[in-house]
């Protein structure tokens, strides 16, 4: 590894894009990946039923930016796919993001019309708002609707997903899923919404297919890389590394958790097969009131697949990530305390001119796929 110009830790989207772009520039690139496969959490495969499934949960690519869509099109064939999602509240399915249908679903007709009229009056030129904004609204009808959503979905889902109360979590988390002021369905509103025609793994194979890229799987970078803080030097198995290091893993583990462990949430999946063509109303459905699990993804609908009179789905459970165990760190838990700890690690990283932090774990930020791609392209210009 010493002979490479670039060392990339992590073979997910961010690391793979960085590797490809620098390889195109003539750099010799080595990717170190802790797991036994490429593609990070986007890894997918065909199961015993002939269904394409994602080992680490569902992914769709969506973006408003044509340049990002054009980029992925260079390395794979894509098909339009508008993801629809929902939630089951009080035993009833309703679409998410919540919309006017949700009001009709849970309020009697007269009250439902009053709430919708109030929203139209207060937000005449606005299609969405955050639940936090609605909770603080002066109009009692709007506030009543928001309180219903918060008490029956947002607060319950947040507690299970993040392992903390809504008051502790960074406000950006609650704002990720807005409330709609119309009957529109579809989880995202981006112009470009696609799924690969073949698979995500096929996209990654094309992306990484370059003579200047070498991949080392089953290699734990935190056991391979040593940082010398006095000199700001980087060592690979006791040999000085002179190239650039792009680190997309958990930053606290890189520094031996010297300032404490950063909190990440992980997921556990229970895979099910049933002898029916459809299990639930939408591909991804949240169950905020369920005792343990958070949501169910039906993979014969992501994308639509015909595997006969069967369907395949995964029940997802959220749990804390623990280094050294088999689960993976999916989501950084953003609180005031965790952001302060991350800042210590970020400042520590500045001691090493060769080191570049990037990706959801390295930056300790909740990136969507298009944001991860954009961040990767940004990293190579720094």
């Amino acid at each position: 590894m010493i002979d490479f110009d670039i060392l990339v830790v992590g073979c997910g989207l961010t690391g793979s894009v960085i590797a490809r772009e620098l390889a195109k520039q003539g750099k010799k690139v080595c990717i170190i990946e802790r797991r036994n496969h490429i593609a990070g959490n986007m890894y997918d495969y065909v199961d015993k039923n002939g269904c394409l499934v994602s080992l680490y949960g569902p992914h769709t690519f969506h973006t408003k930016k044509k340049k990002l869509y054009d980029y992925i099109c260079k390395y794979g064939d894509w098909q339009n796919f508008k993801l629809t999602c929902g939630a089951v509240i009080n035993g009833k399915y309703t679409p998410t993001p919540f919309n006017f249908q949700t009001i009709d679903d849970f309020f009697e007709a007269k009250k439902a019309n009053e709430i919708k009229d109030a929203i139209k009056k207060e937000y005449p030129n606005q299609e969405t708002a955050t639940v936090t904004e609605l909770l603080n609204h002066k109009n009692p009808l709007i506030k009543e609707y928001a309180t219903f959503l918060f008490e029956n979905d947002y607060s319950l889902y947040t507690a299970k997903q993040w392992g903390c109360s809504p008051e502790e979590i960074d406000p950006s988390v609650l704002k990720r899923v807005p409330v709609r002021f119309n009957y529109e369905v579809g989880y995202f509103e981006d112009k470009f919404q696609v799924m690969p025609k073949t698979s995500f793994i096929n996209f990654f194979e094309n992306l990484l297919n370059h003579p200047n890229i070498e991949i080392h799987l089953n290699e734990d970078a935190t056991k391979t890389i040593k940082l010398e803080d006095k000199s700001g030097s980087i060592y690979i198995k006791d040999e000085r590394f002179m190239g650039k290091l792009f680190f997309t893993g958990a930053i606290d583990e890189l520094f031996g958790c010297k300032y404490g462990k950063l909190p990440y949430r992980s997921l556990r999946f229970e895979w099910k097969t049933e002898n029916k063509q459809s299990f639930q109303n939408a591909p991804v459905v949240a169950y905020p009131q369920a005792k343990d699990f958070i949501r169910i993804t039906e993979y014969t609908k992501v994308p639509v697949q015909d595997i006969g009179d069967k369907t395949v789905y995964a029940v997802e459970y959220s749990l804390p990530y623990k280094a050294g165990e088999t689960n993976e760190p999916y989501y950084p838990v953003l609180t005031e305390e965790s952001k302060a700890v991350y800042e210590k690690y970020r400042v520590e990283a500045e001691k090493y001119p060769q080191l570049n932090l990037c990706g959801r774990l390295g930056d300790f930020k909740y990136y969507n796929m298009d944001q991860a791609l954009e961040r990767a392209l940004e990293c190579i210009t720094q």
Side-chain angles (χ1 to χ4, degrees):
M1 300 179 192
I2 297 299
D3 297 330
F4 286 87
D5 303 308
I6 305 293
L7 195 58
V8 178
V9 175
C11 201
L13 182 60
T14 302
S16 297
V17 169
I18 289 171
R20 178 68 186 217
E21 290 304 300
L22 293 176
K24 283 164 53 178
Q25 295 177 15
K27 306 292 186 182
K28 291 177 60 181
V29 182
C30 178
I31 302 178
I32 300 176
E33 169 57 51
R34 182 173 60 182
R35 288 177 270 190
N36 64 359
H37 59 76
I38 63 173
N41 288 351
M42 292 168 64
Y43 175 78
D44 55 7
Y45 65 98
V46 177
D47 76 351
K48 62 183 180 181
N49 302 293
C51 182
L52 181 68
V53 300
S54 295
L55 183 60
Y56 303 99
H59 291 82
T60 64
F61 186 89
H62 57 94
T63 184
K64 295 178 173 64
K65 298 182 179 181
K66 186 175 184 298
K67 67 175 183 179
L68 299 180
Y69 171 69
D70 289 342
Y71 185 91
I72 65 168
C73 287
K74 292 190 292 186
Y75 301 104
D77 295 324
W78 302 80
Q79 57 186 323
N80 292 329
F81 182 81
K82 186 176 182 180
L83 179 67
T84 56
C85 298
V88 172
I89 299 174
N90 298 338
K92 182 182 292 187
Y93 171 86
T94 194
T96 56
F98 299 118
N99 61 9
F100 280 178
Q101 182 61 51
T102 305
I103 301 174
D104 295 340
D105 287 339
F106 296 105
F107 294 87
E108 57 89 18
K110 183 173 182 295
K111 173 63 77 66
N113 287 331
E114 290 174 350
I115 294 173
K116 288 182 288 186
D117 287 343
I119 289 173
K120 291 174 184 177
K121 180 180 179 181
E122 297 290 343
Y123 297 94
N125 301 308
Q126 197 168 320
E127 295 185 350
T128 65
T130 67
V131 71
T132 52
E133 179 183 341
L134 300 183
L135 282 168
N136 295 311
H137 203 281
K138 61 183 179 181
N139 187 299
L141 287 168
I142 294 176
K143 190 168 185 175
E144 179 183 357
Y145 173 47
T147 300
F148 171 83
L149 296 179
F150 186 79
E151 292 180 348
N152 291 281
D153 182 274
Y154 284 93
S155 64
L156 302 178
Y157 195 88
T158 298
K160 286 193 295 182
Q161 168 75 353
W162 298 102
C164 60
S165 69
E167 291 75 25
E168 295 175 274
I169 203 72
D170 189 83
S172 64
V173 174
L174 288 175
K175 294 176 181 179
R176 284 181 62 84
V177 183
V179 179
R180 284 198 175 119
F181 301 150
N182 50 43
Y183 283 95
E184 292 293 319
V185 294
Y187 200 71
F188 306 111
E189 297 181 336
D190 298 334
K191 180 179 180 179
F192 303 99
Q193 301 183 47
V194 294
M195 289 281 287
K197 287 185 178 179
T198 304
S199 62
F200 279 113
I201 196 71
N202 174 257
F203 163 74
F204 274 88
E205 288 170 345
N206 295 335
L207 181 64
L208 295 167
N209 183 20
H210 194 284
N212 287 342
I213 297 177
E214 185 175 301
I215 302 171
H216 292 205
L217 301 177
N218 299 302
E219 181 87 49
D220 189 340
T222 61
K223 297 178 181 177
T224 303
I225 297 170
K226 292 183 180 179
L227 304 177
E228 174 56 61
D229 59 352
K230 291 182 180 179
S231 63
S233 301
I234 297 174
Y235 288 82
I236 308 297
K237 295 179 178 177
D238 298 323
E239 292 188 67
R240 176 80 182 275
F241 178 63
M242 303 303 294
K244 282 189 174 183
L245 169 62
F246 291 86
F247 189 84
T248 71
I251 183 176
D252 55 335
E253 294 179 19
L254 176 64
F255 289 103
C257 298
K258 64 186 295 183
Y259 298 118
K261 293 182 179 180
L262 285 169
Y264 304 93
R265 295 299 285 183
S266 187
L267 294 172
R268 177 175 67 85
F269 302 89
E270 287 184 0
W271 293 89
K272 310 278 187 179
T273 301
E274 290 202 22
N275 293 320
K276 57 175 67 173
Q277 288 191 324
S278 179
F279 173 76
Q280 59 188 15
N281 297 61
V284 181
V285 178
Y287 293 80
Q289 296 169 324
K291 181 179 179 181
D292 298 314
F293 66 93
I294 55 172
R295 68 179 183 178
I296 295 177
T297 299
E298 190 168 6
Y299 281 95
T300 44
K301 296 175 180 174
V302 194
V304 176
Q305 304 173 68
D306 184 359
I307 60 170
D309 294 325
K310 289 188 296 186
T311 189
V312 176
Y313 61 91
V315 184
E316 298 183 22
Y317 297 79
S318 179
L319 66 159
Y321 165 71
K322 294 181 180 179
E325 296 188 358
T326 56
N327 58 354
E328 293 293 331
Y330 286 75
Y331 313 107
V333 182
L334 300 176
T335 64
E336 290 303 315
E337 181 181 358
S338 68
K339 289 189 291 184
V341 173
Y342 172 77
E343 183 62 16
K344 292 180 181 179
Y345 286 116
R346 190 196 64 77
V347 171
E348 183 80 8
E350 291 182 346
K351 295 179 181 179
Y352 304 89
Q354 299 163 262
L355 175 61
N356 300 270
L357 302 174
C358 41
R360 186 184 274 190
L361 303 183
D363 288 335
F364 203 66
K365 290 183 180 179
Y366 194 140
Y367 290 136
N368 289 328
M369 287 167 56
D370 63 326
Q371 295 168 321
L373 170 58
E374 188 168 40
R375 174 68 176 132
L377 295 173
E378 181 183 276
C379 277
I380 62 172
T381 63
Q382 292 178 343

